[in-house]
Amino acid sequence: MRHVRLVVLIVSLCASGAAAAAAAEPGSGVGSEAACAALPSPQAARTPQERQALVICRDIELVRRVATFIHQGSAQLEKGTPSDREISEVVRKELLGVRDDLRTTRGLLENIKLRDGDGLLLTPSHWVRDLNGDGRVATWERNFFAIPKRHDGPLKVGLASDDPGYYRDEYLADASFKVDQSDLTWALGYHYFAEALVEMVLSYSLEGENYSADAIVLVDTAAAKRAHALLVAGFKSTERLRRTLLAEKDDAAEWIANPRQRNSVFPLHLDEGDFAVWGEVLKQVIPLMEGKTLLVPAAKQGGMLGSLAGLCPAGQGLNVVRLFQQPPRRLLSWGGAEQQGRMCQRVDAGHPKSPLFELLASYERRATNDSMAGMRMLRQLLWVN
């Protein structure tokens, strides 16, 4: 179980780093290990091209760092029996470094403003690294950054594989695109969300020597507050991405495209309906994250949404801002009058019930009744932040 906890915690960061990195790989050498070594420091980078290249190199290095940590940590776990406390301390130290790396790279992205011709030409499959530090480049590592093919059938893209035929059938070996401002916004959104995830994990730590339901306790409220600010920034960045994409008029070597653009290698085609749903969801999510509306799930919804229904008394809803400002001391202990008093707020004209759950439930029913719609929803969750 300790092995599983370690892998689940870090793989989520690896996936986020890979998704963000896919937004910025130039096709003419920059991104190779030698070219990355020749780049200036983040503080010394001045041009948009230098900053784009640094984002590429730093994100590749972050993926390699996390993959190596998983590989080496797994090997050490197989050799010995470290305690839960020892594992917790090692993981926390690694996450602190990951957080600092993400923070620096996010700052680079926030300060890149492209003019015509500033964007780099990208071919993500040209990134080849020994990601897990075992001294060889396996098939999955050689193809880790390649772009999946676009198709509307069942989603076949899965975990990293050592089968070359899998990548030949499911990926575009030489797909290229040219970075524009919307692509940078797409990458920035992933950085916000990945950094928020790390901050939220770091806000809690193990109390005592062994994991149990009550052993994961709050140790850094400021980290939880930073996680909330990053999530709000991420959702607002995603809304900027949606608006920027819809405003684009060119159609040449695109990454993520609007419904009028055809020359795109993005693994998912987004039509007018997708953009409309995207906008409607963000219209509900952003006020909720800012504490302007309250989360009031219904018990009849079932699953995780239904399990949240009992958190607040009747007539009240969960204020997400309060949840991050005053998180529960014990991560897995939710409930009780004291916790309700901190998290819950009466629904009124100033703080109405969010319609987000009703919106999500309608699309959940659609996905249940239409497998193709379900596949499209899954792809959007994977590829559109």
Side-chain angles (χ1 to χ4, degrees), residues 221-263:
T221 303
K225 293 178 180 179
R226 289 193 296 269
H228 174 254
L230 288 162
L231 287 171
V232 172
F235 284 118
K236 289 185 175 181
S237 176
T238 300
E239 174 56 21
R240 286 195 301 274
L241 167 63
R242 191 185 71 88
R243 293 197 308 266
T244 303
L245 286 169
L246 286 173
E248 288 185 358
K249 294 181 171 59
D250 60 335
D251 189 8
E254 303 295 333
W255 171 230
I256 184 170
N258 66 39
R260 301 179 303 277
Q261 294 169 316
R262 297 291 179 266
N263 188 5

Side-chain angles (χ1 to χ4, degrees), residues 8 14 93 134 145 152 177 184 201 206 222 224 277 312 356 371:
V8 169
C14 182
K93 181 179 178 180
D134 67 354
F145 296 103
D152 291 327
F177 61 94
L184 295 176
V201 173
L206 177 66
V277 172
C312 295
L356 178 63
S371 60

Side-chain angles (χ1 to χ4, degrees), residues 139-159:
T139 299
W140 71 269
E141 291 170 306
R142 187 171 299 280
N143 296 277
F144 188 83
F145 296 103
I147 298 173
K149 292 179 180 177
R150 177 188 298 180
H151 56 73
D152 291 327
L155 190 65
K156 296 181 180 179
V157 175
L159 297 175

Side-chain angles (χ1 to χ4, degrees), residues 19 155 157 186 190 266 377-385:
L155 190 65
V157 175
W186 178 83
Y190 276 108
F266 197 64
M377 289 179 65
L378 178 58
R379 286 198 183 94
Q380 289 176 40
L381 287 171
L382 286 171
W383 286 102
V384 181
N385 57 45

Side-chain angles (χ1 to χ4, degrees), residues 99-347:
R99 181 199 62 184
D100 293 344
D101 286 348
L102 284 168
R103 186 180 292 171
T104 299
T105 308
R106 186 245 306 169
L108 283 167
L109 278 167
E110 288 175 331
N111 287 289
I112 300 176
K113 307 299 179 186
L114 297 184
R115 298 172 298 180
D116 289 345
D118 283 346
L120 297 173
L121 180 65
L122 318 184
T123 308
S125 61
H126 287 183
W127 291 339
V128 177
R129 293 289 198 279
D130 169 17
L131 295 175
N132 64 10
D134 67 354
R136 66 187 185 92
V137 179
T139 299
W140 71 269
E141 291 170 306
R142 187 171 299 280
N143 296 277
F144 188 83
F145 296 103
I147 298 173
K149 292 179 180 177
R150 177 188 298 180
H151 56 73
D152 291 327
L155 190 65
K156 296 181 180 179
V157 175
L159 297 175
S161 171
D162 280 324
D163 177 13
Y166 165 71
Y167 293 102
R168 183 180 59 248
D169 295 341
E170 298 296 331
Y171 284 74
L172 297 170
D174 295 312
S176 298
F177 61 94
K178 190 170 185 178
V179 172
D180 57 25
Q181 197 66 45
S182 66
D183 302 331
L184 295 176
T185 306
W186 178 83
L188 180 58
Y190 276 108
H191 277 81
Y192 280 130
F193 293 131
E195 191 179 338
L197 170 63
V198 179
E199 289 281 20
M200 200 62 224
V201 173
L202 286 171
S203 66
Y204 285 85
S205 187
L206 177 66
E207 181 181 66
E209 296 299 320
N210 300 299
Y211 283 110
S212 68
D214 294 327
I216 304 175
V217 300
L218 181 70
V219 295
D220 190 350
T221 303
K225 293 178 180 179
R226 289 193 296 269
H228 174 254
L230 288 162
L231 287 171
V232 172
F235 284 118
K236 289 185 175 181
S237 176
T238 300
E239 174 56 21
R240 286 195 301 274
L241 167 63
R242 191 185 71 88
R243 293 197 308 266
T244 303
L245 286 169
L246 286 173
E248 288 185 358
K249 294 181 171 59
D250 60 335
D251 189 8
E254 303 295 333
W255 171 230
I256 184 170
N258 66 39
R260 301 179 303 277
Q261 294 169 316
R262 297 291 179 266
N263 188 5
S264 167
V265 295
F266 197 64
L268 177 67
H269 171 70
L270 299 173
D271 59 24
E272 296 282 359
D274 295 323
F275 272 85
V277 172
W278 187 3
E280 185 60 30
V281 170
L282 289 172
K283 183 180 177 182
Q284 309 306 334
V285 168
I286 292 173
L288 179 66
M289 293 301 301
E290 292 179 325
K292 297 176 181 177
T293 60
L294 304 178
L295 198 59
V296 189
K300 65 181 180 180
Q301 287 176 302
M304 184 181 72
L305 301 186
S307 68
L308 295 174
L311 283 177
C312 295
Q316 297 187 27
L318 178 67
N319 185 315
V320 174
V321 174
R322 291 185 180 182
L323 177 62
F324 284 93
Q325 295 291 324
Q326 303 178 65
R329 182 175 184 274
R330 298 190 181 276
L331 180 62
L332 301 180
S333 298
W334 293 61
E338 181 182 356
Q339 189 62 44
Q340 287 180 347
R342 290 202 301 265
M343 297 190 307
C344 301
Q345 183 173 349
R346 180 165 298 282
V347 176

